[in-house]
Amino acid sequence: MFQIEGIPTLERMRKDHPFTLWGMEQVESSLLTFVAPRSGHETWTCMMHCRRGDPWRIKAFLWCHLDPMEELYLEWGVDVKPPFRWEAMKQAPGSGLEWKLEEEAADLEKIIAKILHDIWWCQRNTKLALAHLQHEALRLQASVVGVN
């Protein structure tokens, strides 16, 4: 099992963790975990199972822990709660934001690059969803204040 703090790019992995990549290539099956430090309101973790073969296969679960919505609304200065369906963003069962990611590629670096791109996409969409939610909360708050 290999663990890396943060969610690096492939170039960063090559530079900072060359022995992790080398070690993964030496075994039939390995686990790789990315644990990112808290960033804003989000904490990201990814656990992946890598299997050597032709092609290489990775099955991964990506989790995003968000601060409680009440804390976000308080920080944004709103007391309205716009409707938002986090379930529409999820790709795996569970109560949090979870995604199941699967990729195949001819070699280890290509498959890790694909998974890292998938993770980036999930992070991007989560940030966009939070920005949209904040905008909607502020808009609803303004309309409530305007009515009073």
Side-chain angles (χ1 to χ4, degrees):
M1 180 171 170
F2 303 94
Q3 181 174 328
I4 296 176
E5 183 176 341
I7 300 178
T9 62
L10 181 59
E11 293 76 28
R12 195 79 169 149
M13 277 188 72
R14 284 184 190 134
K15 181 181 175 193
D16 296 347
H17 306 282
F19 294 110
T20 298
L21 292 170
W22 179 84
M24 291 173 69
E25 289 179 334
Q26 305 309 307
V27 295
E28 287 295 317
S29 176
S30 60
L31 293 174
L32 175 60
T33 303
F34 296 130
V35 180
R38 182 180 174 85
S39 172
H41 302 289
E42 309 160 24
T43 305
W44 291 86
T45 306
C46 183
M47 172 77 76
M48 61 185 80
H49 177 241
C50 306
R51 183 170 297 281
R52 184 170 43 171
D54 188 20
W56 279 80
R57 298 182 199 290
I58 289 183
K59 290 185 180 182
F61 279 95
L62 175 66
W63 295 275
C64 176
H65 177 269
L66 292 173
D67 288 344
M69 297 313 294
E70 292 75 25
E71 289 180 25
L72 292 176
Y73 294 135
L74 184 63
E75 184 179 312
W76 296 337
V78 298
D79 56 5
V80 296
K81 294 181 175 137
F84 192 81
R85 292 189 28 153
W86 288 107
E87 297 81 26
M89 293 179 57
K90 296 170 36 160
Q91 296 176 346
S95 58
L97 286 177
E98 301 176 6
W99 295 267
K100 183 178 178 183
L101 309 172
E102 295 186 51
E103 291 290 352
E104 292 183 355
D107 67 49
L108 179 62
E109 288 193 5
K110 285 181 183 174
I111 196 168
I112 288 177
K114 286 181 175 185
I115 284 290
L116 289 171
H117 182 267
D118 293 346
I119 292 170
W120 171 82
W121 192 255
C122 292
Q123 289 176 318
R124 176 187 171 275
N125 287 342
T126 301
K127 288 184 187 321
L128 287 173
L130 275 173
H132 175 74
L133 181 62
Q134 181 179 13
H135 174 78
E136 281 300 301
L138 293 171
R139 186 185 66 75
L140 280 173
Q141 184 69 37
S143 69
V144 168
V145 171
V147 168
N148 293 336

